[in-house]
Amino acid sequence: MLQFPLWKRLLITGVTALILLMAMPNLFYPRVERHNDAVKTIETSGETPELAADVAGWPSWLPSSLVNLGLDLRGGAYLLADVQVADVYADRMDNYWPEVRDALRDERDTVGAIRRIDGPAGELRVRIGNPDGMARALEVVRGLSRPILTLTGAGAQDIEVSGSGDVLTVQLSEAEKRATDDRTLQHSVEIVRRRVDEVGTREPSIQRQGDTRIVIQVPGIGSADELKSLIGTTAKLTFNPVVSRTTDPDANPGARNLLLPSIDDEGVYYIIEQTAVVTGEELTNAQPSFDQNGRPAVSFQFNPSGARKFGDYTRDNVGSPFAIVLDNEVISAPVIQDHIPGGSGIITGQFSIEQSNELAVLLRAGALPAEMTFLQERTIGPELGADSIEAGRIATIVAFVAVLAFMWLSYGLFGLFANIALIVNVGLIFGLLSIIGATLTLPGIAGIVLTVGMAVDANVLVFERIREELKTARGPARAIELGYEKALSAIIDANITTFLTAAILFALGSGPVRGFAVTLGLGIMTSVFCAIFVTRLLIAVWFDRRRPKTIEV
């Protein structure tokens, strides 16, 4: 095993050097600059090497990826949000009304006139003109229900229909409510992630907590208020027919209508139909742009379904006003001048460039399915992260010195080879963290410190086997070869079990647990690589040059 062909030596050296090169920027780039008591976090990635060159004089043609620091090391914002899942029930019933109305219209001879009446949130109540036709009305509406998948399989229906006198009531079934809650939380997590990612924030942690809550941790963001302004807006966009315009804030909008304020014209209100023609869910793209007068605006594009509905409505309502509503405020209410085919348009208003950019981000990411209320919010300054990094640095140095001293005192020259491999091992960990874009957290630093202690285990196994082989009067070359051969299976078995544990922690854990699992898993891989290849290569090079007759381990 001491016979290393040239290609293998070059391959081991090249791979090691390349990964260490990827780790080098972390030694040169400052993370935080302070200017006039303000803290400015510098985040440099492979896409912006020129920033790195300006900051630290690092050549732009070299790799410049940094290890991402987690919230506990870099500072940032923490939010605990509660999703108002019950709001989705009311929206579902509003969406059901056109379908119920059309189905009952076909049975008008039996059920009589139909009219929607007000009821509790989450219920759809319909009054029929002929109470004697209630049985037929129930049969028709129940025919609109759809089976849903549950843990026990298909069979449960998505709605429950009941009738009393001349009032028919539709509401979601309990099984559908549970499924809706789950979908709402999943959708909310995805929308929040998109909004945070859109502004270039790296490695946010966005996770469910319980049935209705979401934990949001975003490193590097200025404050919790900044994060709330980014993700706290529902960004529910709808396009609604306008009934009238008024300056009376107490005007009665009438049944199935809404009275909403204008976002630009103070004191102006619009009465619009509650049922939207098109919603923001049917948008496929939104980009900041400028209108014909050079003012900031947002251009948008609908999907085929939304484009068809938008085109049909504009064709049939030329000359009528059309309200663009965002979170219950009318952005604008232009008059339809002509048929607008193709499903594209532009949203104008009194926007600044920053506001048009933010609105485009929100619309591209999609609307939150339900409002979120923030139960906890914290802003974590980078000073805390600096203290944690310093404590982790001291712990790592202490562990390093202790392990290096132990290996040198126990195994002499071979211990020094193991120490060199250990230093390379830590560099490889940081290089891999930079390559894969993983986040380093305080528990992650604990994983590195643990790796420092575990990394020499493989070398200890090999060196002890070499000692045993030397006792059998074998030559040094043969003893080294047998030491590696007989220790290899034990090294692989021991590290595979630990790696599986790290993989399970990463898959099932969250937050700090995953940060620990990442560095532990990477440390196991680099430790095995260094023990089997790097240390052995050092020993082989030394042995080829010295050709010792005897060795001491």
Side-chain angles (χ1 to χ4, degrees), residues 109-181:
D109 292 341
T110 304
V111 303
I114 56 174
R115 181 168 59 91
R116 182 176 181 180
I117 61 175
D118 293 332
E123 289 188 2
L124 170 61
R125 293 192 173 184
V126 182
R127 174 166 286 132
I128 62 176
N130 182 12
D132 295 335
M134 178 59 71
R136 177 57 182 164
L138 292 174
E139 180 183 357
V140 170
V141 176
R142 284 171 180 158
L144 301 176
S145 65
R146 303 174 183 87
I148 61 174
L149 287 175
T150 64
L151 293 177
T152 57
Q157 301 296 309
D158 63 341
I159 59 173
E160 294 176 351
V161 186
S162 60
S164 177
D166 61 349
V167 177
L168 181 147
T169 302
V170 183
Q171 61 183 344
L172 297 178
S173 65
E174 289 302 317
E176 179 62 15
K177 286 181 179 179
R178 289 192 296 270
T180 298
D181 292 350

Side-chain angles (χ1 to χ4, degrees), residues 1-6 8-10 12-13 413-414 417 420 477 480 484 532-548 551:
M1 296 185 72
L2 290 179
Q3 301 304 316
F4 270 81
L6 180 60
K8 186 178 291 188
R9 297 189 182 201
L10 293 176
I12 295 172
T13 304
L413 180 61
F414 279 62
F417 291 146
I420 295 173
I480 294 173
Y484 273 100
I532 295 178
F533 296 107
V534 177
T535 307
R536 197 174 70 187
L537 178 59
L538 292 173
I539 294 174
V541 172
W542 166 80
F543 196 89
D544 287 344
R545 292 188 176 183
R546 294 299 179 90
R547 295 291 180 179
I551 59 173

Side-chain angles (χ1 to χ4, degrees), residues 224-290:
D225 289 337
E226 182 181 344
L227 181 58
K228 285 169 60 178
S229 68
L230 176 64
I231 65 175
T233 305
T234 308
K236 184 175 182 180
L237 182 73
T238 58
F239 296 78
N240 302 65
V242 174
V243 177
S244 63
R245 173 175 167 164
T246 180
T247 56
D248 181 6
D250 299 319
N252 181 14
R256 312 306 307 155
N257 293 330
L258 298 173
L259 178 68
L260 300 180
S262 170
I263 197 172
D264 292 332
D265 299 328
E266 187 176 355
V268 174
Y269 297 83
Y270 290 90
I271 297 176
I272 66 171
E273 294 184 14
Q274 182 173 342
T275 302
V277 175
V278 196
T279 68
E281 294 179 359
E282 294 169 295
L283 283 177
T284 58
N285 193 23
Q287 297 291 338
S289 60
F290 296 91

Side-chain angles (χ1 to χ4, degrees), residues 201-522:
T201 305
R202 302 178 66 184
E203 295 298 326
S205 174
I206 304 166
Q207 298 168 338
R208 289 180 58 170
Q209 184 182 84
D211 294 333
T212 63
R213 294 181 178 180
I214 300 174
V215 175
I216 307 163
Q217 301 180 73
V218 183
I221 202 164
S223 66
D225 289 337
E226 182 181 344
L227 181 58
K228 285 169 60 178
S229 68
L230 176 64
I231 65 175
T233 305
T234 308
K236 184 175 182 180
L237 182 73
T238 58
F239 296 78
N240 302 65
V242 174
V243 177
S244 63
R245 173 175 167 164
T246 180
T247 56
D248 181 6
D250 299 319
N252 181 14
R256 312 306 307 155
N257 293 330
L258 298 173
L259 178 68
L260 300 180
S262 170
I263 197 172
D264 292 332
D265 299 328
E266 187 176 355
V268 174
Y269 297 83
Y270 290 90
I271 297 176
I272 66 171
E273 294 184 14
Q274 182 173 342
T275 302
V277 175
V278 196
T279 68
E281 294 179 359
E282 294 169 295
L283 283 177
T284 58
N285 193 23
Q287 297 291 338
S289 60
F290 296 91
D291 62 13
Q292 63 271 23
N293 298 316
R295 294 174 299 188
V298 177
S299 58
F300 61 86
Q301 179 72 44
F302 287 118
N303 62 20
S305 173
R308 183 177 62 255
K309 289 188 286 187
F310 187 68
D312 291 346
Y313 186 85
T314 56
R315 179 195 60 207
D316 299 336
N317 293 271
V318 173
S320 301
F322 194 51
I324 302 174
V325 182
L326 178 69
D327 291 338
N328 293 323
E329 290 183 311
V330 177
I331 296 178
S332 62
V335 175
I336 300 173
Q337 302 293 342
D338 199 358
H339 174 214
I340 306 176
S344 61
I346 188 169
I347 300 173
T348 59
Q350 295 180 6
F351 301 134
S352 65
I353 293 178
E354 291 78 10
Q355 288 172 332
S356 67
N357 284 329
E358 182 177 349
L359 178 57
V361 166
L362 294 175
L363 295 181
R364 280 200 307 274
L368 287 170
E371 182 182 358
M372 294 195 306
T373 57
F374 297 103
L375 306 179
Q376 294 180 17
E377 56 183 84
R378 296 199 298 269
T379 300
I380 301 173
E383 293 86 354
L384 176 62
D387 294 341
S388 300
I389 293 174
E390 180 64 18
R393 187 178 67 86
I394 293 173
T396 304
I397 291 174
V398 171
F400 243 108
V401 172
V403 172
L404 294 178
F406 171 81
M407 292 299 293
W408 178 59
L409 293 175
S410 298
Y411 300 104
L413 180 61
F414 279 62
L416 291 178
F417 291 146
N419 290 340
I420 295 173
L422 178 60
I423 296 172
V424 171
N425 184 16
V426 176
L428 294 180
I429 293 175
F430 279 92
L432 291 176
L433 286 172
S434 299
I435 291 172
I436 67 177
T439 299
L440 180 63
T441 61
L442 188 57
I445 293 179
I448 294 176
V449 176
L450 178 61
T451 299
V452 170
M454 294 172 52
V456 295
D457 286 353
N459 288 317
V460 169
L461 288 174
V462 172
F463 296 162
E464 290 297 328
R465 294 299 301 184
I466 293 175
R467 279 180 175 178
E468 293 179 5
E469 296 301 327
L470 288 173
K471 292 177 182 179
T472 63
R474 298 182 185 275
R478 185 58 179 164
I480 294 173
E481 289 180 357
L482 290 176
Y484 273 100
E485 287 178 0
K486 294 182 177 181
L488 183 60
S489 61
I491 294 172
I492 298 299
D493 291 345
N495 284 279
I496 283 179
T497 54
T498 309
F499 184 80
L500 289 176
T501 303
I504 293 172
L505 287 174
F506 181 82
L508 302 181
S510 62
V513 175
R514 297 187 77 178
F516 175 79
V518 167
T519 53
L520 178 61
L522 292 178

Side-chain angles (χ1 to χ4, degrees), residues 19-49:
I19 299 178
L20 290 178
L21 181 63
M22 299 299 294
M24 289 295 288
N26 294 283
L27 299 177
F28 291 90
Y29 296 172
R31 285 285 179 172
V32 177
E33 286 183 342
R34 301 179 183 273
H35 299 289
N36 301 324
D37 298 327
V39 177
K40 176 184 177 183
T41 301
I42 301 174
E43 180 65 35
T44 309
S45 66
E47 289 75 25
T48 56

